[in-house]
Amino acid sequence: MELLKISEQLGELMTEDGYTRLTLAQAMDTDAAKFLGFMNDESFPSFRTFVSLTDFFHCSADFLIGLTDYPKREARYLLAPPFCEQIKKLLHAEKLSIYKLHRGAGLSDSVIRKWLKGQLMPSLPSLLRIVQYLDYPLDYIIGRVT
């Protein structure tokens, strides 16, 4: 998906804060190789890694994924709850059924059911489909803002 500019946005944050891939990995207590795929636009970070990056850099998830040009680092973000809890809350708040989300966002209903049971974490392309369908910020979808 062309909207996902994670490597570009992450590179901007790293430069601004003075991190290399190695120093970022050390600061986040992980392996630098973990960042290689998405820093080279070859893969997407996992949901957990993506949320960890937004928390680490205190930036908007919408910025990191490339939906906005401003990182909103001054905003107050909540710690994202487990996605299974957040997706239940979202479906309830928006009066959405699994079927409606499946049809509207073009997601597999079995994937949505696995999210609800906590058996699977969403991919970033799947989250982007929800954002586009509901027209809400990604930070709201993942529970970092109310």
Side-chain angles (χ1 to χ4, degrees):
M1 300 187 124
E2 62 188 21
L3 286 177
L4 302 180
K5 300 189 287 185
I6 295 166
S7 64
E8 182 182 323
Q9 305 296 66
L10 183 56
E12 182 179 319
L13 292 169
M14 289 169 64
T15 300
E16 188 176 305
D17 290 2
Y19 286 101
T20 65
R21 189 175 21 217
L22 180 60
T23 59
L24 176 61
Q26 289 170 340
M28 292 185 70
D29 196 28
T30 191
D31 184 357
K34 184 177 193 175
F35 300 115
L36 190 60
F38 56 89
M39 291 296 295
N40 292 332
D41 291 324
E42 296 169 356
S43 63
F44 300 116
S46 69
F47 175 76
R48 286 186 180 104
T49 299
F50 179 78
V51 172
S52 294
L53 286 166
T54 61
D55 290 341
F56 182 83
F57 284 107
H58 194 79
C59 70
S60 159
D62 297 274
F63 171 78
L64 191 56
I65 207 167
L67 295 173
T68 62
D69 293 328
Y70 183 66
K72 298 182 183 175
R73 295 179 95 176
E74 73 286 350
R76 297 192 69 153
Y77 297 105
L78 305 170
L79 288 177
F83 191 72
C84 60
E85 293 174 15
Q86 183 60 22
I87 192 69
K88 288 174 190 172
K89 186 175 168 183
L90 184 66
L91 290 173
H92 178 75
E94 299 305 315
K95 297 178 176 56
L96 286 173
S97 64
I98 294 170
Y99 179 76
K100 270 186 163 176
L101 184 59
H102 153 71
R103 296 291 293 176
L107 299 166
S108 161
D109 67 341
S110 65
V111 166
I112 297 168
R113 290 178 194 285
K114 287 179 181 179
W115 291 346
L116 289 166
K117 293 176 184 174
Q119 297 173 335
L120 183 67
M121 290 292 113
S123 67
L124 293 183
S126 294
L127 288 172
L128 186 56
R129 286 178 173 200
I130 296 171
V131 166
Q132 291 169 333
Y133 171 60
L134 295 178
D135 196 27
Y136 285 132
L138 180 54
D139 285 299
Y140 175 76
I141 302 296
I142 62 176
R144 293 183 73 226
V145 296
T146 55

